[in-house]
Amino acid sequence: MVDWVRLELDVDRFDDAEFSLYLRRAEASGARFTTLAELGDTPLHLRALYDLNKTCSADIPDRGPFYTYDEYVAQRIDVPSFDPGGIVLAIHDGTWIGMSATSLHPEPRYAFSEMTGVLAPYRGRGLSLALKLLAIRFVRASGYRRLVAFHHPRNASAIAMNRRLGFTDRAAGD
Ligand SMILES: CC(C)(COP(=O)(O)OP(=O)(O)OC[C@H]1O[C@@H](n2cnc3c(N)ncnc32)[C@H](O)[C@@H]1OP(=O)(O)O)[C@@H](O)C(=O)NCCC(=O)NCCS
């Protein structure tokens, strides 16, 4: 059985100013940030989101086979916790290069970081920090305070990314 690393961030205590530097840097290097709400959750855009999520998820340890497109829509899109404003995207020269997807759960009240992923050639440049900054702003603007993430214990980069943002260990059973 996998002993998941369960992390949580109090978004009211998040240092927005520190991480906005990564957003400015990414924009200066040609990346553009938007959301699925801004682009429109059309079938074409949902397919592009699926493709990006699937590609990035291939690097999650022990992830196993990814959803089919229909399964993805049923599990991640056609659910009450889905909000297209919570799908943050990074685009470079027309290519979707990164995403951070956050769902909202009103009872008990928490936001969940479903997936943050950056295409391999664009990694190691602070792009995930810029994406998550925008995801955290979405959580705050939606009136939520707790942002939760679960990671496979061998997913060192994702765990380090979230710790860098101020995520801390969540008590077991919480
Ligand atoms: C996790 C992931 C999103 C990080 O994206 P990235 O844009 O390369 O990360 P960044 O350059 O923004 O780095 C952010 C922080 O994460 C940590 N980090 C990133 N890559 C790391 C690595 N390979 N090893 C250790 N720490 C790493 C560092 O703390 C870094 O901050 P620092 O450079 O200031 O120390 C990317 O590796 C990825 O897409 N992985 C596959 C998908 C995945 O596992 N997603 C998470 C599951 S939801």
Side-chain angles (χ1 to χ4, degrees), residues 42-53 69 89 96 99:
T42 62
L44 199 70
H45 290 153
L46 290 176
R47 187 78 208 194
L49 177 68
Y50 169 78
D51 289 340
L52 178 60
N53 197 333
Y69 179 69
L89 299 162
W96 292 23
M99 63 173 289

Side-chain angles (χ1 to χ4, degrees), residues 8 14 18 27 61 67 71 73-74 87 91 104-105 113 138 165 167 170-171:
E8 182 165 332
F14 173 70
E18 181 185 349
E27 285 172 334
Y67 301 117
E71 286 166 352
V73 170
I87 309 294
I91 301 176
L104 299 174
H105 305 263
S113 193
F138 162 76
L165 290 157
F167 279 76
R170 199 162 172 249

Side-chain angles (χ1 to χ4, degrees), residues 14-136:
F14 173 70
D15 187 352
D16 200 286
E18 181 185 349
F19 292 97
S20 56
L21 168 73
Y22 293 95
L23 182 58
R24 289 197 300 275
R25 262 195 212 155
E27 285 172 334
S29 73
R32 180 169 77 84
F33 292 84
T34 186
T35 66
L36 202 60
E38 285 169 0
L39 293 181
D41 53 354
T42 62
L44 199 70
H45 290 153
L46 290 176
R47 187 78 208 194
L49 177 68
Y50 169 78
D51 289 340
L52 178 60
N53 197 333
K54 183 177 177 182
T55 302
C56 294
S57 290
D59 293 331
I60 298 177
D62 290 350
R63 173 63 183 79
F66 197 66
Y67 301 117
T68 64
Y69 179 69
D70 288 345
E71 286 166 352
Y72 185 74
V73 170
Q75 303 267 346
R76 297 284 178 91
I77 310 291
D78 285 345
V79 289
S81 57
F82 172 76
D83 183 329
I87 309 294
V88 179
L89 299 162
I91 301 176
H92 192 272
D93 284 340
T95 302
W96 292 23
I97 60 169
M99 63 173 289
S100 188
T102 308
S103 56
L104 299 174
H105 305 263
E107 190 52 53
R109 193 171 182 81
Y110 68 98
F112 187 70
S113 193
E114 300 276 352
M115 172 66 186
T116 300
V118 171
L119 292 182
Y122 298 90
R123 289 181 191 159
R125 308 176 184 182
L127 208 55
S128 77
L129 299 176
L131 285 160
K132 289 218 76 156
L133 166 71
L134 296 176
I136 290 164

